[in-house]
Amino acid sequence: MTIRSTFIATTALLALAACGQKQDNSSTYTTNSADTYNQADASAPAPVQTPATSAAQNFVNTAAASDAFEIETSRLALTNGASASVKSYAQKMIDAHTGSTAKLKTLTGGMNPALTPDATLNAQQQATLDQLKSLKGTAFDQAYIAAQTSGHQQTLDALRGYATTGDVPALKSFASGLVPTVTAHLNMAKGLKV
């Protein structure tokens, strides 16, 4: 697997972990703190993996950054958004990603050697966050929905990739377990109306 593929897979897994909600038959969603969502852009440059940086550490960093991105963009949605459905979705993402960040820290802290998640946003995430900060109302809602849809799809792809080819069994299991949640979050984002 190439470094870029590993990065994308890692990003997706982390994004999926942050998505901690499931859809029930009444269209109400429950938060599952075990899930994580990862937001990444395939066009963003992948971090260079050095011998000192394992694929697992890259994945953990991607997941942590994804959670941070989801939380920050969703906080903006609560203040800058106009649509009640966007604000409701944003609160669900804040709750889910806060829970997934805690779960990720617990999982990685218990590993030997322990991994420490680095939540620094990648360049694309930072650019998207900066763009959203300048928008209000319907324009914000439209940009937020687009960012959530794109990010969840990328996260889903990354989770599936790491679950298949990852180098740490516990993280592979974590990734595969998040696929249903991230799929639900993606479908929720696609269903948002402005």
Side-chain angles (χ1 to χ4, degrees):
M1 173 181 277
T2 66
I3 292 173
R4 182 176 181 96
S5 297
T6 300
F7 173 74
I8 292 172
T10 300
T11 300
L13 177 58
L14 295 176
L16 182 57
C19 293
Q21 300 180 351
K22 297 184 217 173
Q23 181 177 10
D24 67 19
N25 292 337
S26 66
S27 297
T28 303
Y29 296 91
T30 354
T31 299
N32 176 352
S33 65
D35 296 336
T36 301
Y37 171 77
N38 179 31
Q39 176 75 28
D41 188 313
S43 67
V48 176
Q49 183 174 341
T50 65
T53 306
S54 70
Q57 183 65 59
N58 284 337
F59 174 76
V60 167
N61 292 348
T62 301
S66 175
D67 277 345
F69 176 81
E70 289 302 319
I71 292 166
E72 290 306 309
T73 57
S74 295
R75 284 181 180 157
L76 280 175
L78 296 178
T79 58
N80 293 9
S83 167
S85 62
V86 164
K87 290 182 179 193
S88 174
Y89 175 85
Q91 187 60 59
K92 289 173 183 160
M93 294 303 102
I94 291 167
D95 295 343
H97 292 283
T98 300
S100 68
T101 295
K103 174 128 179 133
L104 179 65
K105 287 180 180 179
T106 299
L107 175 66
T108 57
M111 294 180 161
N112 188 14
L115 298 174
T116 303
D118 178 359
T120 303
L121 302 183
N122 68 35
Q124 182 60 42
Q125 290 168 327
Q126 188 62 56
T128 301
L129 178 61
D130 291 343
Q131 176 201 14
L132 288 171
K133 287 178 180 178
S134 69
L135 301 173
K136 300 257 191 239
T138 302
F140 176 90
D141 291 346
Q142 291 170 340
Y144 176 76
I145 291 168
Q148 293 299 308
T149 302
S150 174
H152 280 93
Q153 183 62 59
Q154 292 166 12
T155 298
L156 183 58
D157 295 343
L159 287 171
R160 288 177 175 156
Y162 194 85
T164 302
T165 63
D167 59 341
V168 175
L171 291 175
K172 287 177 69 168
S173 178
F174 180 75
S176 65
L178 290 175
V179 168
T181 300
V182 173
T183 300
H185 284 197
L186 174 61
N187 291 335
M188 289 170 59
K190 287 180 177 178
L192 288 172
K193 303 291 183 222
V194 187

